[in-house]
Amino acid sequence: VLFRSCVGCVWFLLITSRGVRVSGSMLKCKAEELSRKIGNNQFIATNGWLSRWKNRHDIKFKRVHGEQVLMNPPLIIGKLTG
């Protein structure tokens, strides 16, 4: 599973620590990109994969209320345990 690798978790922690809100679509796209970089051209980040990854790392998508909802993807909170 790609995001159990150090590279995927490091990317996620880095980007969210900078205040970037990551959507499910962004996460799936990055997972496929990283997979191709390590030579796995057959990996497809499905909604099922995303759901299992979020559960594995205790990640929750939270919507920002008010005007920002229209402009920003969901906030992500949780922990990565590797």
Side-chain angles (χ1 to χ4, degrees):
V1 176
L2 180 63
F3 271 83
R4 279 195 151 175
S5 72
C6 188
V7 174
C9 291
V10 168
W11 173 84
F12 182 80
L13 290 172
L14 179 66
I15 200 81
T16 55
S17 72
R18 292 181 178 169
V20 176
R21 293 186 178 130
V22 179
S23 68
S25 296
M26 286 173 62
L27 195 53
K28 291 190 312 183
C29 183
K30 190 63 173 181
E32 290 178 0
E33 177 187 323
L34 291 172
S35 182
R36 285 190 300 276
K37 285 185 178 185
I38 63 170
N40 181 357
N41 295 322
Q42 300 197 5
F43 173 75
I44 298 172
T46 63
N47 287 336
W49 171 86
L50 178 62
S51 178
R52 289 186 301 276
W53 186 84
K54 290 188 318 183
N55 287 337
R56 184 179 311 118
H57 298 293
D58 194 27
I59 302 296
K60 309 283 187 238
F61 286 140
K62 300 287 184 183
R63 288 243 173 239
V64 176
H65 297 286
E67 294 179 23
Q68 291 181 333
V69 171
L70 299 174
M71 298 182 63
N72 297 313
L75 286 171
I76 293 185
I77 59 172
K79 62 183 178 189
L80 291 175
T81 58

